[in-house]
Amino acid sequence: MAIKKQYLKSKPVCKVTFTVPAKEAKRVAVIGSFNNWDTSASKLRKLKNGTFKGSIDLAKNANYEFRYLIDSKYTNDEQADSYVWNNYAGAENAVLEL
């Protein structure tokens, strides 16, 4: 898994690109505090090599909790900036610091 941050000079946003290698998966989404944990809001596109990829513009100077939803299974990104415990889920969420 990979996270790429591209800070835009013309806007107060950061373009964040998520890449998830999941050849066997049928559906991958990135969900989090930036989209109210909506499982249908940020689906990643499957590339020919089996990797899922997608970008989201997020406000700078903010932190966002997120997780990947891979075929109904939640997982964190090992390249997250940090992790925080979520009592509701009973697991850690990845944190993206912009």
Side-chain angles (χ1 to χ4, degrees):
M1 291 178 220
I3 301 170
K4 179 184 172 191
K5 301 175 189 175
Q6 181 182 3
Y7 291 91
L8 303 179
K9 294 179 182 178
S10 60
K11 299 178 186 177
V13 299
C14 179
K15 180 178 181 177
V16 182
T17 302
F18 299 93
T19 305
V20 180
K23 289 182 181 182
E24 304 301 318
K26 297 195 183 314
R27 181 176 168 215
V28 176
V30 59
I31 61 171
S33 56
F34 49 82
N35 63 10
N36 294 318
W37 300 94
D38 183 349
T39 59
S40 63
S42 300
K43 293 178 185 174
L44 303 182
R45 184 174 30 101
K46 189 169 189 175
L47 305 178
K48 288 182 181 182
N49 66 2
T51 299
F52 287 79
K53 191 173 187 177
S55 298
I56 303 171
D57 288 346
L58 298 173
K60 292 187 208 178
N61 303 317
N63 293 339
Y64 302 94
E65 293 183 32
F66 75 98
R67 298 189 87 185
Y68 296 114
L69 182 59
I70 302 172
D71 288 343
S72 303
K73 183 181 176 193
Y74 291 96
T75 189
N76 281 327
D77 194 315
E78 66 271 3
Q79 292 187 1
D81 296 315
S82 62
Y83 301 92
V84 63
W85 184 257
N86 180 314
N87 284 329
Y88 179 77
E92 287 186 324
N93 287 336
V95 176
L96 187 62
E97 300 170 359
L98 301 179

